[in-house]
C-alpha cells in the first residue's frame, strides 16, 4: 500500500485535472464545501455523512450527546464510507448542513495531537525536511496529521493493539496522542463544530502525499511530552508504542 499511495502520482494528476475543470458555479453557495469533499474523496479518503451543530447542541437531538457534531449519522458508517463521487454529491446536496467523517484504517490513519504540541511538531518536521502530508486543525484544540494506514500491514507482527489506537468511544481516554486506525474516524474539513465560528479546516492540503506514520511518531510524541505539564492533572501526554 505504501508503494501505491506514497508517490500517488496518478491520483495527484487526476485531482489536479479535476480541480482545474470545475466550474465556479458548482462550488458556489456552500463556501466550496462540496468541492473540498470531492477533492478528499478523489485522493482516496472514504467519506460518510455526520451530524452537524444545531446551535450549541448536536443535530442528533440526543440529550447529552458525548461527541456533538462529530459522529456519523448511520451505524453502518464503516461499510457506507465511500469515495464514489456521485454518492458524495448526493449526500452533500441533500444534506447541506451535514459534516462528513472519513473512516480511518482503510487508506489512511490520523495522528491526532493537542494543538500547541502539534504546531511545535509541525515546525520541527518541516525544518528537518520530513514529508508531513495533509494536516487539519480543529478549533477545539487539536491538530490532525493524515498518514498512510498501518491498519493492514503485510507482516501481521507489525500490527499492535496499543494504547495509541483510538476508537470513537475511547477518545476521552486519549487526551495526548490519539492514533485513529481500524474502526475509527475523524471529521474531514470543512466541518462545523458547536459554537460561534468553530470548525475543522486544512492547514496543509491534500496535494501533499500521505507519509508513513512512523516517520512522524517520534516527533509528535516528543512534542506531546513537552506540553504535558500544561494539561490538567488527570491528563497524560502520550502512550508508549507496544507491539505483540
Amino acid at each position: 500500500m505504501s508503494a501505491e499511495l506514497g508517490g500517488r502520482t496518478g491520483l495527484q494528476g487526476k485531482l489536479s485535472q479535476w480541480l482545474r475543470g470545475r466550474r465556479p458555479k458548482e462550488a458556489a453557495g456552500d463556501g466550496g464545501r462540496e468541492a473540498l469533499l470531492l477533492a478528499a474523496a478523489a485522493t482516496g479518503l472514504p467519506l460518510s455523512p455526520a451530524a452537524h451543530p444545531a446551535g450549541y447542541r448536536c443535530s442528533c437531538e440526543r440529550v447529552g450527546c458525548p461527541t456533538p457534531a462529530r459522529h456519523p449519522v448511520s451505524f453502518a458508517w464503516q461499510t457506507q464510507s465511500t469515495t464514489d463521487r456521485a454518492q458524495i454529491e448526493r449526500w452533500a446536496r441533500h444534506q447541506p448542513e451535514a459534516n462528513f467523517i472519513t473512516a480511518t484504517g482503510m487508506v489512511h490513519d490520523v495522528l491526532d495531537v493537542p494543538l500547541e504540541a502539534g504546531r511545535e511538531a509541525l515546525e520541527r518536521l518541516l525544518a528537518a525536511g520530513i514529508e508531513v502530508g495533509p494536516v487539519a486543525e480543529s478549533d477545539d484544540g487539536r491538530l490532525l496529521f493524515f498518514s498512510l494506514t498501518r491498519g493492514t500491514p503485510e507482516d501481521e507482527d507489525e500490527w499492535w493493539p496499543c494504547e495509541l489506537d483510538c476508537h470513537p468511544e475511547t477518545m476521552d481516554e486519549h487526551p495526548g496522542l490519539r492514533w485513529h486506525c481500524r474502526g475509527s474516524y475523524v471529521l474531514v474539513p470543512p466541518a462545523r463544530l458547536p459554537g460561534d465560528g468553530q470548525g475543522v479546516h486544512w492547514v496543509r492540503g491534500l496535494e501533499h502525499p500521505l507519509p508513513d506514520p512512523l516517520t512522524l511518531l517520534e516527533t509528535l510524541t516528543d512534542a506531546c511530552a513537552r506540553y504535558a505539564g500544561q494539561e490538567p492533572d488527570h491528563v497524560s501526554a502520550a502512550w508508549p508504542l507496544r507491539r505483540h
Side-chain angles (χ1 to χ4, degrees):
M1 181 172 289
S2 296
E4 178 185 350
L5 292 172
R8 301 169 62 193
T9 303
L11 282 175
Q12 299 274 349
K14 289 179 182 178
L15 174 59
S16 298
Q17 292 174 12
W18 176 77
L19 287 174
R20 287 197 297 269
R22 293 285 285 174
R23 297 192 301 272
K25 68 178 182 180
E26 290 183 286
D30 64 355
R33 166 178 171 266
E34 184 179 315
L36 285 171
L37 293 171
L38 289 171
T43 59
L45 306 189
L47 307 182
S48 180
H52 61 84
Y56 283 85
R57 301 181 62 185
C58 183
S59 62
C60 72
E61 299 184 350
R62 175 183 174 185
V63 176
C65 175
T67 54
R70 292 181 172 278
H71 59 82
V73 295
S74 171
F75 289 114
W77 58 270
Q78 291 190 70
T79 55
Q80 183 186 59
S81 296
T82 182
T83 59
D84 181 73
R85 172 174 174 158
Q87 180 61 67
I88 292 168
E89 286 179 334
R90 285 193 292 271
W91 282 332
R93 294 172 186 180
H94 294 162
Q95 303 177 55
E97 294 187 339
N99 287 331
F100 279 75
I101 58 97
T102 177
T104 53
M106 298 180 185
V107 171
H108 69 297
D109 289 350
V110 172
L111 297 171
D112 169 357
V113 300
L115 181 60
E116 292 303 315
R119 286 175 173 170
E120 176 192 307
L122 181 58
E123 290 181 4
R124 290 169 57 191
L125 288 163
L126 293 175
I130 296 173
E131 179 56 58
V132 175
V135 179
E137 181 175 329
S138 178
D139 288 332
D140 64 348
R142 308 290 298 187
L143 211 59
L144 312 177
F145 290 77
F146 285 66
S147 70
L148 290 169
T149 186
R150 299 284 293 182
T152 53
E154 294 181 5
D155 182 356
E156 279 298 319
D157 287 339
E158 293 187 17
W159 170 250
W160 52 83
C162 69
E163 287 86 349
L164 286 175
D165 298 342
C166 181
H167 298 265
E169 66 274 13
T170 63
M171 285 181 63
D172 288 343
E173 300 172 19
H174 301 261
L177 192 152
R178 307 167 181 166
W179 189 318
H180 298 271
C181 51
R182 289 190 290 196
S184 191
Y185 56 79
V186 297
L187 288 176
V188 64
R192 295 181 298 122
L193 302 175
D196 295 334
Q198 298 293 293
V200 183
H201 56 90
W202 291 114
V203 175
R204 284 170 55 85
L206 292 162
E207 68 275 12
H208 298 283
L210 295 172
D212 187 312
L214 298 186
T215 64
L216 311 179
L217 186 60
E218 181 178 356
T219 302
L220 289 175
T221 54
D222 181 62
C224 285
R226 289 173 181 269
Y227 282 89
Q230 298 182 15
E231 303 200 33
D233 291 340
H234 68 280
V235 171
S236 59
W239 285 262
L241 183 65
R242 298 191 311 185
R243 306 184 186 181
H244 284 309

